[in-house]
Amino acid sequence: MSATRTISVTVNGKAYEREVEVRVTLADFLRQELGLTGTHLGCEHGVCGACTIQLNGRSARSCLTLAVQADGQEIKTVEGVAPSADELHPLQEALSEHHGLQCGFCTPGILLTLLEFLDDNPDPSEADIRLAISGNLCRCTGYQGIVDAALAAAERLRGGAAK
Amino acid sequence: MKPPPFEYHDPTTIPEAISLLGSYENARLLAGGQSLMPMLNMRYVFPDHLIDLNKVGGLDYINTDADGVEIGGMTRQRDIEFSDELAEHCPLLSEAIRHVGHIQTRNRGTMGGSLAHLDPAAEIPMVCAAMDARIRAQGPNGERTIPIAEFALGFMTTALAPDEMLVSVSLPGWASGHGAGFQEFGRRHGDFAIASAAALIEVGGDGKIARASLTISGVGPVPVRIEEAEEGLVGEAGSDGVFDTAAEACGELEALDDIHAPASYRQHLAKVLAKRALAQAWERAAS
Ligand code: FES
Ligand code: FES
């Protein structure tokens, strides 16, 4: 039982082909097989949001997805958020400027969630943002810094002047 | 933490999925995975065979016609949230779906998966109860339609046979201009509700309530319709007093008693939320 399968996935624009045990979660696959340890695991049962990645442009909990289900799909992880090795994405910059992270454990999940959200809602209210990150637990910041950062990033991404 | 060993199947057609389901002992269907995957990770369940429905065609759609809407079992909750069609014809579902989990879980979670899981606090079964949903199921002996009242048998228990699969859910339409009210109380947005209430009101030409539906969920093992209240509302104009009387009928429900809330608190919430939902539906109904 628990046979293996060969899967092909594109992660952050790069194609991989690997043989995986069918019961392995996408989170464990990314971390252990591909060495992409930026995706964090908090609860491993869908509550904390730390493992959030994007599957075909939509945020999803990688602890609740099997690696085999990602066969042929496109995945984005925190390693693929910054445009280059020495440049941050505007949302990453804003999180840094607004103290949107302390230990950083929740940050990858927050980033992948907010990137999708800001795409769908370029001009969100504070309440919209709080709702959008309601599925991401942060034990450090008290969320205020994250909300401030999201507001600032939204403005920057809309092309307005940064606050 | 990871799932126990199982054999994985990924059929691409409904007949293929049903034949797999019928040919194995201890097989489970995997829809969006937002309930079954945590149960696998925590090893609450040990299926020998996991039949993944994510590649099965023809299960992901929203169809509207004169009789109402039909939603395919694998339709993602997020697509329901974004559907203009549903916002127009089925405002109760549009509003309630925003309270199902979070963006990340709604992107994967499905209409049929939530209904087949039948968590007592879940919003989708409640909307189905409120709207007299009809559930289409397919098995080795063909297809049958199950009214929601006969589908939700008890605590996380449906009328689906072990070799049957939920294919779609039909929600019979309410007149255009009907009002929908939805009220939920939970500790945090997206958490399981401690109690919730859904109300639908149609107002007749005389400005009085012509048709009403009132459902309480999260209080007992399955969502319940409060028929006594519904009957009492017909022929009345909405008012504080009328909604108070209707809400009183919710006070004696069988209630769950658990770590989140004692039964008496759930019974209290049922009344408060019922009144608010009714007032909201009345407010929103076009007379
Ligand atoms: S690790 Fe996936 S939600 Fe917590
Ligand atoms: S920064 Fe530490 S958990 Fe969010």
Side-chain angles (χ1 to χ4, degrees):
Chain A
M1 258 207 339
S2 213
T4 60
R5 277 211 189 180
T6 302
I7 63 167
S8 320
V9 291
T10 307
V11 184
N12 303 324
K14 194 171 159 201
Y16 297 86
E17 198 180 280
R18 290 284 191 284
E19 193 176 325
V20 291
E21 214 184 317
V22 293
R23 64 170 165 148
V24 166
T25 65
L26 180 56
D28 283 342
F29 172 75
L30 291 169
R31 292 175 53 85
Q32 292 168 9
E33 277 297 318
L34 304 188
L36 297 170
T37 52
T39 298
H40 293 161
L41 281 166
C43 66
E44 296 186 70
H45 64 133
V47 175
C48 71
C51 68
T52 303
I53 48 95
Q54 284 184 8
L55 191 60
N56 301 325
R58 290 279 168 202
S59 62
R61 299 204 183 310
S62 61
C63 72
L64 300 187
T65 310
L66 293 168
V68 275
Q69 295 184 299
D71 184 27
Q73 322 282 314
E74 249 177 74
I75 294 157
K76 184 169 179 163
T77 68
V78 65
E79 287 89 349
V81 170
S84 71
D86 43 27
E87 202 186 338
L88 290 176
H89 184 280
L91 181 58
Q92 290 173 309
E93 270 173 11
L95 279 165
S96 153
E97 282 161 21
H98 293 266
H99 305 285
L101 65 151
Q102 287 178 29
C103 79
F105 193 84
C106 68
T107 314
I110 298 271
L111 276 166
L112 277 302
T113 301
L114 280 176
L115 284 176
E116 176 196 15
F117 170 74
L118 292 176
D119 248 2
D120 290 337
N121 305 273
D123 193 6
S125 69
E126 182 177 333
D128 295 337
I129 293 167
R130 289 190 185 275
L131 212 56
I133 57 170
S134 65
N136 297 77
L137 299 186
C138 174
R139 297 295 80 169
C140 303
T141 64
Y143 303 99
Q144 190 56 50
I146 302 174
V147 173
D148 292 344
L151 284 168
E155 189 166 337
R156 215 169 291 179
L157 291 166
R158 285 196 309 270
K163 260 186 229 162
Chain B
M1 188 157 45
K2 48 183 60 66
F6 50 76
E7 222 167 286
Y8 177 79
H9 308 269
D10 50 350
T12 54
T13 66
I14 297 174
E16 206 187 326
I18 289 166
S19 106
L20 283 166
L21 188 59
S23 49
Y24 293 116
E25 288 282 309
N26 192 21
R28 291 291 295 253
L29 295 171
L30 177 66
Q34 304 304 293
S35 302
L36 183 53
M37 282 298 298
M39 289 163 73
L40 284 166
N41 284 358
M42 291 190 283
R43 302 205 176 185
Y44 287 155
V45 288
F46 293 83
D48 291 322
H49 296 270
L50 199 63
I51 303 166
D52 186 353
L53 299 177
N54 283 278
K55 287 193 187 141
V56 174
L59 287 174
D60 177 3
Y61 58 86
I62 299 170
N63 287 338
T64 319
D65 66 18
D67 301 329
V69 293
E70 182 177 1
I71 301 174
M74 283 297 287
T75 307
R76 308 282 170 190
Q77 292 155 7
R78 196 84 168 133
D79 292 330
I80 292 172
E81 181 179 345
F82 284 128
S83 161
D84 294 333
E85 249 175 298
L86 289 175
E88 189 184 331
H89 300 287
C90 220
L92 179 63
L93 180 59
S94 282
E95 185 163 353
I97 206 87
R98 286 159 218 272
H99 295 260
V100 179
H102 311 282
I103 297 178
Q104 305 99 333
T105 65
R106 290 198 294 276
N107 275 336
R108 299 282 300 161
T110 64
M111 180 79 184
S114 172
L115 191 53
H117 185 61
L118 205 71
D119 188 285
E123 290 82 0
I124 287 176
M126 159 147 113
V127 172
C128 289
M131 300 191 71
D132 300 299
R134 300 174 65 75
I135 291 112
R136 207 149 60 82
Q138 270 183 38
N141 304 319
E143 187 177 300
R144 65 176 178 136
T145 302
I146 316 167
I148 182 75
E150 290 160 32
F151 178 86
L153 294 181
F155 184 78
M156 299 181 101
T157 308
T158 73
L160 289 171
D163 56 1
E164 264 184 327
M165 168 173 136
L166 189 160
V167 179
S168 78
V169 183
S170 294
L171 300 170
W174 278 58
S176 85
H178 76 272
F182 175 82
Q183 295 286 326
E184 172 170 309
F185 183 79
R187 295 266 176 218
R188 286 164 293 269
H189 185 97
D191 261 12
F192 286 112
I194 291 173
S196 45
L200 293 165
I201 287 180
E202 239 172 72
V203 178
D206 56 358
K208 305 267 170 65
I209 296 172
R211 186 182 174 201
S213 161
L214 178 63
T215 309
I216 300 292
S217 159
V219 172
V222 291
V224 274
R225 285 282 290 273
I226 315 295
E227 280 161 28
E228 183 192 332
E230 295 172 0
E231 284 159 20
L233 285 164
V234 173
E236 302 281 348
S239 72
D240 232 34
V242 162
F243 296 143
D244 267 332
T245 313
E248 273 312 309
C250 308
E252 303 295 314
L253 295 174
E254 175 195 353
L256 301 166
D257 198 296
D258 62 19
I259 185 172
H260 304 293
S264 59
Y265 183 56
R266 285 196 162 87
Q267 287 167 334
H268 169 74
L269 278 178
K271 282 197 274 186
V272 173
L273 298 174
K275 184 178 175 189
R276 288 185 193 161
L278 285 168
Q280 195 178 30
W282 168 255
E283 185 83 8
R284 290 171 175 176
S287 41

